[in-house]
Amino acid sequence: MDSITQIALGTSVAGLVGIKPFGRKALIAGALLGTLPDLDVLLNYQTAIQDFTFHRGFSHSLFVLTALSLLFIG
């Protein structure tokens, strides 16, 4: 999934479940957290092949994503 679709999906889900109690902050949080797994493209793994193969590594782990989301939102 490309980054724009990740942002749109995160915003849509956050708007669906969190817009009433949290307002527009839920939309912004959904957009940020929706694109969070793909921020690993900023890491350099030495070669283009390693960049491609390690892309869906630790940053797509639910444990890592939960910890990072608590840091960003908390």
Side-chain angles (χ1 to χ4, degrees):
M1 208 181 306
D2 65 307
S3 294
I4 300 298
T5 308
Q6 289 281 95
I7 291 170
L9 179 63
T11 304
S12 301
V13 171
L16 186 66
V17 298
I19 194 72
K20 294 279 185 186
F22 300 109
R24 291 183 186 212
K25 290 181 184 178
L27 301 178
I28 295 169
L32 290 174
L33 295 176
T35 194
L36 187 63
D38 287 331
L39 291 180
D40 68 344
V41 298
L42 301 175
L43 299 175
N44 185 7
Y45 293 109
Q46 305 301 323
T47 66
I49 294 171
Q50 288 177 333
D51 287 344
F52 181 75
T53 56
F54 293 147
H55 168 64
R56 302 223 182 247
F58 74 95
S59 68
H60 284 72
S61 164
L62 290 178
F63 298 115
V64 172
L65 293 175
T66 301
L68 287 176
S69 67
L70 293 174
L71 287 174
F72 286 135
I73 300 302

